[in-house]
Amino acid sequence: GNSVTQMEGPVTLSEEAFLTINCTYTATGYPSLFWYVQYPGEGLQLLLKATKADDKGSNKGFEATYRKETTSFHLEKGSVQVSDSAVYFCALKRGSTLGRLYFGRGTQLTVWP
Amino acid sequence: GAVVSQHPSWVICKSGTSVKIECRSLDFQATTMFWYRQFPKQSLMLMATSNEGSKATYEQGVEKDKFLINHASLTLSTLTVTSAHPEDSSFYICSASGGMNTYEQYFGPGTRLTVT
């Protein structure tokens, strides 16, 4: 079946620290992979995505590389800011067409000044 | 662009009553809408998928008679929780796809339902 396993939080960091949030997946075929971010009181927003192996998604200083050999899509940022405090969700979708998303549990990130 | 709204943002209702949650795509036509449920500290669980003008497709284990979904227009879908019970208390999130980027899903801000 299809599933996403995401590291449990909460994650607490000081400003300018390095961030890694681990995400691994199980899927049939060749899924597309996503990171969504949910700021307090807001809906989920697409942060970045990758649709095939070795693709790197990037946005707002965040990066994640689609690793088929390790079935992973870890989220990284070199220097976090207080404004990055949010809940981050890893997700997969089978193929690149419209279809259901399978979400991880979400990781709460808090960045202190 | 691609804004999705939900109304209300939070609602409290008594056991046994019904409550309706609206999901609107504000600046695009949503051919498909999804309804999710999110428990505290847990993932989003897909409840159902609806296409405009068609009956919703429910995920296994979701009671279609309890969670009524209507997607009557290209900009509006509604979720009605009928005969609500305290265990229905949750965070309900909709997403919509359509417009220029047909395969992208755009999420609403969610509705917090508390059943007393």
Side-chain angles (χ1 to χ4, degrees):
Chain A
N2 301 293
S3 66
V4 175
T5 301
Q6 194 175 332
M7 72 181 275
E8 293 204 18
V11 174
T12 303
L13 295 172
S14 297
E15 208 164 25
E16 299 184 5
F18 184 84
L19 168 71
T20 299
I21 301 178
N22 290 337
C23 171
T24 57
Y25 67 90
T26 302
T28 54
Y30 303 97
S32 297
L33 301 173
F34 306 81
W35 277 101
Y36 284 86
V37 58
Q38 185 178 30
Y39 298 103
E42 298 184 18
L44 274 72
Q45 301 173 26
L46 179 63
L47 180 59
L48 54 84
K49 67 180 181 183
T51 58
K52 60 183 188 296
D54 300 325
D55 266 2
K56 177 186 282 189
S58 61
N59 185 23
K60 300 181 181 180
F62 291 90
E63 293 183 340
T65 301
Y66 188 142
R67 301 284 188 202
K68 193 169 188 300
E69 63 276 12
T70 55
T71 61
S72 65
F73 192 55
H74 304 321
L75 182 68
E76 296 182 336
K77 186 174 185 182
S79 176
V80 294
Q81 306 299 313
V82 172
S83 57
D84 294 326
S85 298
V87 181
Y88 293 81
F89 292 90
C90 185
L92 72 83
K93 182 169 65 174
R94 289 174 57 185
S96 59
T97 58
L98 179 64
R100 64 166 296 172
L101 287 162
Y102 296 82
F103 285 92
R105 287 193 167 202
T107 302
Q108 171 75 56
L109 169 67
T110 302
V111 181
W112 296 101
Chain B
V3 178
V4 176
S5 70
Q6 280 184 243
H7 178 80
S9 55
W10 61 269
V11 59
I12 301 173
C13 70
K14 292 181 185 277
S15 270
T17 61
S18 296
V19 60
K20 181 183 286 187
I21 301 169
E22 293 185 348
C23 176
R24 293 182 185 272
S25 56
L26 299 185
D27 51 3
F28 67 102
Q29 293 187 324
T31 50
T32 303
M33 286 186 168
F34 302 84
W35 285 95
Y36 295 85
R37 184 172 177 176
Q38 184 181 23
F39 292 98
K41 300 187 188 303
Q42 294 194 29
S43 181
L44 281 73
M45 301 302 295
L46 180 66
M47 299 174 66
T49 303
S50 72
N51 293 298
E52 185 266 336
S54 303
K55 287 186 178 179
T57 302
Y58 289 81
E59 294 298 304
Q60 192 172 5
V62 177
E63 298 177 61
K64 59 182 67 174
D65 293 331
K66 180 168 187 59
F67 298 100
L68 302 178
I69 292 171
N70 185 297
H71 191 169
S73 79
L74 285 170
T75 58
L76 173 65
S77 176
T78 59
L79 167 67
T80 301
V81 182
T82 63
S83 187
H85 290 283
E87 56 264 32
D88 299 325
S89 298
S90 192
F91 196 56
Y92 293 88
I93 301 173
C94 73
S95 70
S97 64
M100 296 289 290
N101 193 343
T102 310
Y103 299 144
E104 199 69 59
Q105 284 186 36
Y106 302 96
F107 286 81
T111 297
R112 171 75 59 195
L113 170 64
T114 301
V115 184
T116 60

